[in-house]
Amino acid sequence: MVDMKTQYAGLTLRNPLIVGSSGLTNKAERNKEFEKAGAGAIVLKSLFEEQIEMMSHSLAGSSHHSEAMDYISHYTRASAVNDYLNLIKETKALCTTIPIIASINCYKPDTWIDFAKQIELAGADALELNIYFLETGEEEGLELSRRIYADLTRKVKAEIHIPVILKISKYYCNIPNLVNILRVNGADGVVLFNRFYQPDIDVNTMQVVSGNVFSSHSDLSDTLRWTAIVSGKVPGISIASSTGVHDWEDVVKCLLAGATAVQMCSALYTHGAEIIPQILTCIEEWMHQANFKSVKDFRGRLSYAQEKNRAMYERSQFMKYFSNRD
């Protein structure tokens, strides 16, 4: 029998397959279904800082009294936080065999320090900070984004004892450098990558609308590239691959590239929790055929550090395949 266990950000997972943060993980009963199906861990639906602020401002805007506005803002935030803490407690009460990871979608360090403490007290096994930060200002530079990431990681890590994981974007010019900054500031793990809201344009109404919310297989290429490069260049930090993971082969590819865990979301929306045991069974069969007794026997075999032809992960390889084509 093969050993599917893996160590991720200080947590012991029975297998590398993590249910990623989404609307699917916002109910304790459904999280129990994922646990029964065999998931290695669950990341709860994110609490969005921007969403709470928008709700608070909208409600407070109906009042012309400053004291009332302050009360409404405080009440809105407290209510949202309380609901989320209850989700953690209820999920932990039902799911007793796997780690439960809380998630905050945030961008201002000082806002969530107290909330991080409450998350730990509520029983979460780890905290995933999903930083949705897109550089668009003409005066913004790398130092601004580095400072935001570093400050958030350092301040939260100083206040809680559970592992802190950063879910970051691929829209950053030097991802290994950023991951190393996070590691130096105390991050226990990183998730490569979060998936931004996808805008589209309706040509009939001439309005900006929401694009496709789900990932596709084509999204896996960037995930594999940077998983391999980061795992090969930045030791001492766990990596979870995310975005573009849709079947058992995708999971194996990420592990070969150097991931210690793999998050899945879109495929669960499409196929439901029943896809989890199918994926795990296929991975076990593949491991048997390849004569691997544990995940650690093959994890990272094709990372940037282990790959002899490192150009395979670099854009320069593009010319090799297309220079002879007319």
Side-chain angles (χ1 to χ4, degrees):
M1 185 173 181
V2 299
D3 183 4
M4 295 278 283
K5 290 196 296 294
T6 188
Q7 296 293 319
Y8 171 60
L11 303 173
T12 299
L13 278 55
R14 61 187 180 185
N15 64 69
L17 188 57
I18 298 175
V19 178
S21 175
S22 72
L24 293 174
T25 59
N26 68 347
K27 294 185 182 301
E29 295 76 13
R30 192 156 49 214
N31 292 334
K32 181 63 179 178
E33 294 178 10
F34 289 131
E35 181 192 38
K36 286 182 177 180
I42 295 172
V43 184
L44 300 180
K45 184 180 186 300
S46 291
L47 184 62
F48 282 76
E49 178 180 1
E50 289 175 298
Q51 183 179 11
I52 293 177
E53 288 184 346
M54 288 173 60
M55 291 171 56
S56 176
H57 292 160
S58 176
L59 292 172
S62 62
S63 174
H64 299 289
H65 300 284
S66 59
E67 290 185 2
M69 292 173 63
D70 290 342
Y71 174 80
I72 291 172
S73 297
H74 177 76
Y75 176 81
T76 302
R77 175 179 288 273
S79 178
V81 168
N82 188 62
D83 289 345
Y84 196 77
L85 296 176
N86 285 335
L87 174 62
I88 296 172
K89 294 173 183 177
E90 291 169 3
T91 299
K92 284 292 294 180
L94 291 179
C95 303
T96 59
T97 64
I98 60 174
I100 301 300
I101 303 171
S103 175
I104 309 173
N105 194 302
C106 56
Y107 61 95
K108 290 186 292 190
D110 296 333
T111 307
W112 296 103
I113 300 300
D114 289 337
F115 183 39
K117 296 178 185 176
Q118 295 178 62
I119 281 179
E120 182 175 33
L121 291 174
D125 297 293
L127 174 59
E128 183 179 281
L129 300 175
N130 188 346
I131 303 181
Y132 190 105
F133 180 72
L134 188 63
E135 297 173 353
T136 57
E138 295 179 0
E139 302 301 323
E140 292 176 356
L142 290 177
E143 290 304 320
L144 174 62
S145 56
R146 286 195 188 106
R147 187 168 64 252
I148 289 174
Y149 280 107
D151 287 352
L152 180 62
T153 304
R154 185 175 59 257
K155 290 180 179 180
V156 172
K157 187 67 180 178
E159 296 296 334
I160 62 177
H161 299 92
I162 57 176
V164 174
I165 301 157
L166 276 292
K167 191 171 188 178
I168 65 174
S169 164
K170 66 180 179 180
Y171 300 110
Y172 191 85
C173 71
N174 191 334
I175 293 171
N177 173 261
L178 174 59
V179 173
N180 190 54
I181 288 172
L182 298 177
R183 180 190 64 81
V184 170
N185 282 276
D188 299 282
V190 292
V191 181
L192 307 178
F193 298 100
N194 57 20
R195 181 172 170 80
F196 277 9
Y197 159 79
Q198 303 293 309
D200 199 356
I201 292 179
D202 187 323
V203 298
N204 295 311
T205 63
M206 289 186 287
Q207 292 181 325
V208 179
V209 297
S210 175
N212 186 18
V213 297
F214 296 132
S215 69
S216 66
H217 272 292
S218 62
D219 294 312
L220 185 65
S221 180
D222 281 339
T223 301
L224 288 178
R225 179 199 306 274
W226 290 110
T227 295
I229 292 174
V230 171
S231 67
K233 284 177 168 282
V234 189
I237 189 167
S238 293
I239 299 172
S241 294
S242 178
T243 299
V245 180
H246 286 261
D247 56 33
W248 73 269
E249 289 181 305
D250 294 341
V251 175
V252 170
K253 290 175 184 178
C254 292
L255 295 172
L256 285 167
T260 50
V262 181
Q263 292 193 7
M264 178 173 282
C265 182
S266 294
L268 292 171
Y269 270 104
T270 305
H271 303 289
E274 54 267 27
I275 195 177
I276 294 175
Q278 297 171 18
I279 288 174
L280 295 176
T281 297
C282 289
I283 294 174
E284 287 183 354
E285 291 178 355
W286 176 83
M287 289 175 64
H288 275 300
Q289 293 176 9
N291 199 30
F292 292 129
K293 292 181 169 43
S294 66
V295 171
K296 66 181 181 180
D297 288 342
F298 66 91
R299 188 184 73 80
R301 280 205 172 195
L302 298 180
S303 72
Y304 186 83
Q306 298 299 321
E307 177 59 42
K308 293 181 180 179
N309 184 8
R310 295 181 178 180
M312 292 298 292
Y313 287 121
E314 298 170 348
R315 192 176 185 276
S316 59
Q317 192 71 7
F318 177 89
M319 296 303 298
K320 174 181 178 180
Y321 292 103
F322 291 95
S323 59
N324 296 325
R325 292 178 181 263
D326 295 327

